[in-house]
Amino acid sequence: MSDESQELGITESKSHKPGEWYAEVVQKANLADYAPMGGFIVTKPRGYALWEAIQDSLDGWFKETGVDNVYFPMFIPESYLEREKDIVEGFDPEVAWVTQGGHEELEERLAVRPTSESIIAPFMAEWTRSHRDLPMRLNQWCSVVRWEATETKPFFRTKEFMWQEGHTAHASNAGAWEEVWTRLGQYERVYEDVLAIPVLRGKKPEHDKFPGADTTTTVEALMPDGKSVQGATSHNLGQSFAEAFDITFADEDEAEQTAYTTSWGLSWRAIGALIMTHSDDQGLVLPPTVAPTQVVIVPIWQEDTKDDVLEYSEEIAEDLEDAGFRVELDDRDERNPGFKFNEHELNGIPLRLEIGPHEVDDGEATLVHRPDNEQSVAERDEIVDAVDEHLDEIYDKLYEAAEENLEENVREAYSPEEILGTIGKHGGYVKTAWCGDEACEEAIKEKIAAEIVMQPLADEGGETAGEVPEPDRDECGVCGDPADEIAYFAKSY
Ligand SMILES: [Zn+2]
């Protein structure tokens, strides 16, 4: 390898130094850069394209299911945030404040939104008059700021992050639950059908739910290093926010009723999970669903074959473009094919077409899968169908590998030693019986920094909405007291 390609390529190992490897992939695959202020990143075009792909899917599904997009100010008056105080203590130390505008000191400090319940809820209260105004479903795509002093990890830990936050009001608790499941289902779908990442669906334990929520539901994804990522959350807020912000309505008998509300969000952490799940020591690996370029064509020529090879390659590129694929023809003169292969591997282009004089003579193209270098040959006449099939195959390969990782890494353990030993040795999830006492989580957390990331859900409808099914054993895996809940322990991001 030349010095140049070494500089271009990934030098860290995913299995040995996942943190360093991740940072290198993000930078060298041109997804993001570090901003001059600690804790902030600059999202580059190829990184932002991933966010747009996620956005396109989710936003469409939201709209199909009755959601309207809105935009609220990024600043929230302190008095508004104060109204939340009774129900929310969660965000205070993480809030960034604006105290001056121009040369003037502000009369009232303005918070940079850490989340927007406290400014959206008062308006929902104003807009909700009668049962006919419900359900009201609002969503905004924006960024929020949480001033946490932690080491920056692009898309995983940044003080400002992009997300969507949905806020809804309903006439009944059943309506709120239906909303919670609809959004959780859409989050599950974006992970499984767009990002090729299987998830576990469940709820957070009582002590770890969103401040003020009745129930916080979550989708959790297991990373190859054995840690869980909270993929998105959907909260049933019950009536606590509606009571604090007077979200009331006149029912059919003109009697005043208090609404039930939900909120739900997915952040660009999904991009972090995407990078971490599929990529390797050669660089970024992307499913074709989100890849900004799905197919790269690399012509391989000598001086005397150049014109034929290029012309043939251009025709194929055109056919594929016409069929709706995102295609790049890499006809750069100054780079040799080997350099180009490395670069496109680093950038995670799912499928490479190699075209040399042989392919031209035989009326074929050589297809190479990014994830595992599997090669095959397709007929020129059938190239559009072949590319379509191969992109599907690549998606399936990525999904299956992630699914295998998940299936192999859910283990049961029923004593503290066994729980600690299992997570210590294998990572992944440990399923156990739990008495419901936070102290039992603390005992595990102190020793190995693993916590209860998820509890599975019983039947999601009706009376038992949000309840956890009975465990196989009736003694808590940590303290031995009677247990009637299942809990999944894991280390997490
Ligand atoms: Zn216990």
Side-chain angles (χ1 to χ4, degrees):
M1 249 197 277
S2 68
D3 288 350
E4 195 181 11
S5 52
Q6 262 167 9
E7 227 170 84
L8 192 81
I10 302 297
T11 57
E12 300 287 0
S13 146
K14 185 179 187 182
S15 51
H16 294 118
K17 289 192 167 173
E20 286 84 346
W21 165 86
Y22 176 83
E24 206 184 2
V25 170
V26 166
Q27 281 205 292
K28 290 192 170 169
N30 278 313
L31 302 177
D33 239 322
Y34 296 92
M37 319 80 80
F40 293 82
I41 60 168
V42 174
T43 311
K44 298 172 81 170
R46 293 171 42 79
Y48 201 76
L50 298 176
W51 183 235
E52 285 177 313
I54 293 169
Q55 224 173 6
D56 283 351
S57 296
L58 271 182
D59 199 60
W61 301 336
F62 290 163
K63 285 173 181 158
E64 279 166 20
T65 45
V67 179
D68 292 315
N69 281 337
V70 289
Y71 188 78
F72 280 75
M74 70 185 297
F75 298 130
I76 301 177
E78 184 166 19
S79 55
Y80 276 59
L81 222 53
E82 288 290 324
R83 283 181 74 180
E84 232 180 27
K85 268 281 163 62
D86 297 341
I87 39 176
V88 177
E89 291 163 19
F91 289 111
D92 224 14
E94 298 173 9
V95 173
W97 295 99
V98 176
T99 56
Q100 189 172 322
H103 296 294
E104 308 277 316
E105 182 117 342
L106 300 182
E107 271 175 37
E108 181 177 12
R109 296 198 293 172
L110 299 175
V112 182
R113 63 180 163 224
T115 177
S116 304
E117 270 81 3
S118 61
I119 190 152
I120 293 182
F123 285 88
M124 289 182 96
E126 245 177 75
W127 300 338
T128 306
R129 292 276 170 247
S130 118
H131 63 96
R132 282 180 293 273
D133 299 322
L134 298 176
M136 182 177 291
R137 301 185 177 95
L138 307 177
N139 175 64
Q140 68 177 355
W141 292 94
C142 62
S143 73
V144 291
V145 170
R146 295 181 191 170
W147 213 266
E148 293 170 281
T150 49
E151 204 188 328
T152 311
K153 194 178 181 82
F155 308 117
F156 275 114
R157 274 196 307 274
T158 48
K159 290 192 174 81
E160 181 184 20
F161 56 87
M162 308 279 298
W163 79 347
Q164 59 69 216
E165 47 178 317
H167 300 271
T168 69
H170 306 265
S172 69
N173 194 31
W177 272 121
E178 203 184 312
E179 183 72 20
V180 166
W181 302 134
T182 300
R183 302 314 155 199
L184 196 68
Q186 289 172 339
Y187 293 145
E188 187 176 22
R189 183 172 162 202
V190 85
Y191 275 92
E192 303 206 335
D193 295 354
V194 179
L195 303 177
I197 303 174
V199 290
L200 295 178
R201 188 180 159 123
K203 63 170 240 179
K204 291 287 173 188
E206 283 299 300
H207 60 265
D208 193 29
K209 62 190 187 184
F210 180 72
D214 270 10
T215 306
T216 289
T217 67
T218 179
V219 289
E220 297 282 325
L222 183 63
M223 297 297 102
D225 64 358
K227 290 188 192 171
S228 184
V229 168
Q230 178 181 301
T233 47
S234 179
H235 316 286
N236 186 339
L237 302 175
Q239 291 180 304
S240 57
F241 280 82
E243 276 161 8
F245 290 97
D246 289 326
I247 307 178
T248 57
F249 63 97
D251 68 13
E252 282 165 22
D253 306 319
E254 293 299 316
E256 188 181 272
Q257 304 287 349
T258 302
Y260 295 80
T261 65
T262 79
S263 68
W264 26 275
L266 175 138
S267 79
W268 70 11
R269 175 180 279 217
I271 300 175
L274 173 75
I275 299 164
M276 190 91 80
T277 299
H278 304 302
S279 304
D280 61 22
D281 289 353
Q282 276 66 57
L284 188 64
V285 175
L286 295 173
T289 37
V290 297
T293 303
Q294 297 169 306
V295 185
V296 63
I297 302 175
V298 180
I300 302 162
W301 68 72
Q302 304 294 330
E303 253 342 280
D304 59 330
T305 54
K306 182 174 176 183
D307 289 347
D308 288 345
V309 168
L310 272 183
E311 196 191 326
Y312 183 84
S313 301
E314 279 163 10
E315 284 168 13
I316 291 185
E318 227 166 84
D319 281 5
L320 292 174
E321 240 164 57
D322 289 347
F325 298 107
R326 299 187 287 275
V327 187
E328 182 191 326
L329 171 63
D330 188 353
D331 56 2
R332 287 177 295 175
D333 255 324
E334 70 280 12
R335 296 294 187 201
N336 64 41
F339 181 94
K340 293 178 183 178
F341 294 171
N342 288 338
E343 192 180 77
H344 300 308
E345 274 177 13
L346 174 67
N347 286 332
I349 299 179
L351 184 65
R352 180 171 80 224
L353 264 55
E354 298 176 6
I355 293 168
H358 286 300
E359 277 85 358
V360 177
D361 287 346
D362 299 342
E364 293 171 342
T366 299
L367 282 65
V368 185
H369 292 188
R370 166 64 182 90
D372 58 359
N373 272 316
E374 188 188 314
Q375 291 204 7
S376 49
V377 172
E379 297 290 326
R380 167 70 182 88
D381 298 343
E382 291 158 13
I383 197 72
V384 168
D385 288 343
V387 163
D388 198 30
E389 278 164 30
H390 281 270
L391 291 178
D392 283 349
E393 271 176 41
I394 291 167
Y395 190 93
D396 292 345
K397 268 182 194 174
L398 295 178
Y399 187 86
E400 280 158 22
E403 193 179 37
E404 203 178 296
N405 180 50
L406 175 59
E407 279 170 2
E408 283 172 1
N409 286 293
V410 179
R411 299 179 179 83
E412 295 190 29
Y414 291 97
S415 73
E417 298 73 31
E418 217 186 324
I419 294 170
L420 292 169
T422 306
I423 295 178
K425 189 170 173 206
H426 305 286
Y429 299 105
V430 162
K431 180 182 169 185
T432 192
W434 180 44
C435 64
D437 189 343
E438 192 181 348
C440 288
E441 183 191 59
E442 275 304 317
I444 299 296
K445 207 171 176 176
E446 263 172 30
K447 294 224 168 69
I448 202 167
E451 56 191 19
I452 299 173
V453 292
M454 197 274 294
Q455 297 190 269
L457 291 154
D459 173 27
E460 293 180 355
E463 296 280 294
T464 57
E467 282 180 20
V468 176
E470 298 272 319
D472 296 338
R473 304 205 193 169
D474 50 14
E475 287 174 5
C476 174
V478 183
C479 70
D481 282 355
D484 57 8
E485 297 181 34
I486 298 172
Y488 280 58
F489 279 88
K491 293 185 182 182
S492 72
Y493 274 97

